[in-house]
Amino acid sequence: MIDEILPPGVRSAEAFDDLAPAPLFPEEAALMAGRWERRRRQFATARACARRSLAELGLAPAPLLPGAGGAPQWPTGVVGSITHCDGYRAAVVARTTDMAALGIDAEPAEPLPRGVLGLVASDGERAAVERLAAGRPDVPWDRLLFSAKEAVYKAWFPATGRWLGFADARVEPAADGTFLACLHPADPPVPAPTHYAGRWLVRGGLLLTAVALPAVRPSPPRSPLAPAAPLSGPARRSGPERPAGAPTRTRCPS
């Protein structure tokens, strides 16, 4: 299911329960010692999803321990993200040559508890949620906004090592299954991404959001014998190519 909102180059695995065997490495088991059995099984299934995803990249199973901020410490040259909620666990990974950052989040497809939206959304975001709900009442737009910010944070923190508050990201969801996020942290690292484009999906009682920031590939050096670019004529758009299936909107929420 999560693969439907991911671009090419990202590997994923998911589970809808904790019934499949999911052995832990000793380091992971020690981390879960003393935890509730339900939490341990949830953790183990999510790690099993991560290892299945990494296997698709040709990487052998290894412990995946949390690092700073609780984010998993992925193998060198890999970015990834893990999520879990009642009835769903998933992991996504990609080579750093393909993606600079990944973030996913899963939530029950239900409205947020009363009072929570005011804590995570600006006045403008709340107004947008109301407009969208009027046209698509089948989508829990308040929960979608919350989930999108969670996905953005999961992509942001491993890349920057900085915390990001709900007020530091303005999210604009759209009925076409996409959303945009514009970041304005109080103490931004330099350089740091400030724009994220993502996708969302609601199905089977679940709400999924995902953001994937493509890696910037250096341009190959131009041969000194190659003809110079023309001085006139229509301008060509420069920059990395948009992966197939990526959101096309680029305007940052105002």
Side-chain angles (χ1 to χ4, degrees):
M1 202 162 90
I2 190 74
D3 63 308
E4 296 180 37
I5 56 174
L6 297 171
V10 179
R11 302 293 186 264
S12 65
E14 60 191 357
F16 297 88
D17 55 46
D18 300 317
L19 299 180
L24 293 172
F25 280 83
E27 302 94 321
E28 296 169 331
L31 186 67
M32 288 288 104
R35 303 289 185 94
W36 291 100
E37 177 64 13
R38 179 174 179 272
R39 173 68 184 112
R40 193 200 69 79
R41 290 173 64 85
Q42 186 183 68
F43 177 91
T45 302
R47 262 29 186 201
C49 289
R51 284 188 261 278
R52 293 198 337 250
S53 299
L54 290 168
E56 292 192 23
L57 295 180
L59 298 176
L64 292 171
L65 301 177
Q73 299 181 81
W74 300 100
T76 301
V78 172
V79 292
S81 184
I82 292 176
T83 189
H84 50 76
C85 70
D86 286 344
Y88 190 76
R89 296 88 171 87
V92 299
V93 297
R95 298 280 187 184
T96 53
T97 50
D98 294 321
M99 295 291 158
L102 289 171
I104 60 172
D105 186 65
E107 302 282 336
E110 303 170 354
L112 289 172
R114 184 181 298 273
V116 174
L117 182 61
L119 301 177
V120 303
S122 65
D123 292 343
E125 288 172 324
R126 291 196 295 272
V129 164
E130 292 180 4
R131 290 194 301 271
L132 289 163
R136 288 281 306 276
D138 58 309
V139 176
W141 294 101
D142 55 350
R143 179 83 68 166
L144 196 158
L145 183 77
F146 171 84
S147 180
K149 291 194 178 190
E150 287 287 302
V152 167
Y153 175 76
K154 289 181 180 181
W156 160 272
F157 185 83
T160 64
R162 305 287 185 92
W163 297 101
L164 190 72
F166 285 110
D168 295 330
R170 179 172 173 81
V171 171
E172 182 186 78
D176 65 355
T178 66
F179 64 87
L180 292 175
C182 181
L183 277 53
H184 43 83
D187 182 26
V190 179
T194 57
H195 297 73
Y196 289 86
R199 289 188 175 276
W200 61 267
L201 176 68
V202 174
R203 184 185 301 156
L206 294 168
L207 186 157
L208 308 180
T209 55
V211 295
L213 189 66
V216 177
R217 293 183 174 86
S219 300
R222 187 169 65 88
S223 167
L225 300 179
L231 298 178
S232 60
R236 290 178 57 88
R237 182 180 176 184
S238 61
E241 293 185 0
R242 180 176 63 86
T248 58
R249 299 184 304 140
T250 56
R251 179 176 63 83
C252 184
S254 58

